[in-house]
Amino acid sequence: MITTTAAVPRARFRRQLNRPMQAAAVLVVWVALWPLVRGRDTLALAPADLTPLHRWLNDVNDTVGANRNSSPIFLYFVNEIRAAVDAFATFVQSLLSQPSFGRPVPVLGWLGVVAVVAYVSWVFANWRVALLAAAGFVFLGLQGLWQESMDTLALTLAAVAISLLFGIPLGIWAGLSDRFNRLITPFLDFMQTMPTFVYLAPLTLLFLIGPASAVIATLIYAAPPAIRLTAHGIRSVPATPIEATESLGATGWQTLTGVLLPMSKRTIVIGVNQTIMAALSMVTIAALIDAPGLGKTVLKALQTLDVGTAFNAGLAIVVMAIVLDRVTTAAGDRVSSTHRPGRFRRPVQVLLGVVALVCCYLSYTYVWAAEFPGGPGVGSALARTADSVTTWAQDDLTSFTEALKNAVTVVLLDPLQALLTESPWWLVGAAAITLAAVLGSVRAAVTTAICIGLLVGTGLWQDSMTTLAMTIVATLLVMVLGVVAGVWMGRNRHADRIIRPVLDAGQTMPAFVYLVPFLALFSATRFTAIVAAVVFAAPVAIKIVADGVRGVPATTVEAATAAGSSTWQLITKVQLPMARQSLTLAANQGLIYVLSMVVVGGLVGAGALGYDVVAGFSQGELYGKGLAAGVAIVLLGIMLDRIARAAAQRSAAKTRTR
């Protein structure tokens, strides 16, 4: 009986140990079969060809356009939503960026905007952040991009306001109700798994192109963080103060407003921060559907390979992101601080408020305070410098950049892409389903099978496999970088203090910005999209790995060290195995970030599904194909996410059994 009981864990361990070997066996069989079936049933489709599904989607688009002003659904629902959102976005633009109310300038000119931004930053943060905010906004004007920057800010604020209007109440509901939390969580997962590109095509079908569609797409993308973090904050409130309040006879509303919301205030402010950053990122990408602002400037520059202009506009996006991030982060710190304000803060706050009002009046009344002073500024100098650096890099770094590009392309990308695109679709599908079952679970395998079938139905199998190849290669590089840097940070506090702020800054940058420097270095190629995706996704993977390594119990590390383990043995035999769950989570998050960025890379020569989406926006006859490409991106995201999640859950279960 004792032998039988002991044999069960050993058999389970052997099965777990054999899983990587089983996955390797699947890959070996696939590679062995590839020469025998290469080129069969690959479902190839030329760039200009359309499937019946694509033509049907084109017909749907035409039908919607023809019935937009006669169908009751559009007359009394869709058009009303569009009109309301457009009116709100136009109102915010009239305040900050566009001529309004019969005036040649907006209500608030540059001086008023800078004064209000500085005052709000001082009230909700501190004087250092206020100086940073004022200097940052003045710098936007000196770049010669004041109009574009204010358009971006206006659309961001409009989207954030609507997101918080709905997101915080929904988050409160999810925090109070387990049933509603279970109901809304899959929708939030789906919304956050979808790459940003995917929101655009269906929304243009319903709401046309322009600011309204941009704001709606942005609020859909930006609302989940506010909902999640609000719910998390309320659920994290200790039970003791809630029970004490209820024992005194407080109503549910009094408990909510007197205990739950005040004690979850910091978490809610963090949700606001994440919503703002997501909105800014999405507003720039919404330039593809004719949203005004800095994103349109970057998009035009990327399309013409004008690195100087793209760099100048990309830098403006970064400056705005840093300012908004620092203001909301400092506001969150102030909310959680127990330090009492000085007695002179209130009078100074009133005085600065008066100064801000005076500046607003001046900017409303006088042209010099409304229109940012012209002149050469720093924008043209930055553009010229970026062009000069680009020329230098292309002339003097060609040997290095070409060697790096060729190494990744020839050694990793080309073989994997050939394996995926030149294998029969049924062989790829069988291998993917088997790997999902081996590495994840039966449920993940079923999800993978459904996604494979739907990918075939989109008519974009080869483009999907090309995108998948780039995603896998970029994710492998992200994990290599994540493990190396994450282990270093996890083991060295000084390295963590130096590197973590850089990673935090990297996570504030919208996806568009990453394309600019690598376009200069590597021109418009698939590798440009891959390296941009690696840099975009690396911060989150590095931080997760570092936290996992640091979370290994100190007693375990000390015991291994006392047993004579070397540094290499300590890392490979103790810290990384015990941080297996963090590694799997890093791979999951890296996959999602990489997929999003690889698709954006369609703007710089990556091709595949990203190009299909962009072409669908610019060429009416390819709209259906672009919409199908958006669906294919979602399917890839769901398939990869479910496999990675199942692997993470299996890893967590394995850790618990040990």
Side-chain angles (χ1 to χ4, degrees), residues 118-184:
Y119 177 71
V120 170
S121 301
W122 187 83
V123 170
F124 289 100
N126 53 59
W127 64 269
R128 295 183 184 86
V129 176
L131 290 178
L132 172 67
F137 272 70
V138 170
F139 181 72
L140 297 176
L142 293 176
Q143 286 183 275
L145 295 170
W146 183 261
Q147 171 80 41
E148 294 85 349
S149 301
M150 291 304 100
D151 277 325
T152 297
L153 180 62
L155 293 184
T156 300
L157 293 178
V160 168
I162 300 176
S163 297
L164 298 181
L165 178 65
F166 291 98
I168 291 180
L170 289 174
I172 293 172
W173 190 4
L176 298 175
S177 170
D178 292 336
R179 178 179 298 178
F180 182 71
N181 187 57
R182 288 193 299 268
L183 176 65
I184 200 172

Side-chain angles (χ1 to χ4, degrees), residues 484-508:
V484 173
V487 169
W488 185 26
M489 290 174 59
R491 291 173 51 84
N492 190 316
R493 293 282 182 180
H494 297 292
D496 185 84
R497 282 196 293 268
I498 294 172
I499 298 175
R500 192 171 290 269
V502 177
L503 301 179
D504 292 340
Q507 286 189 281
T508 65

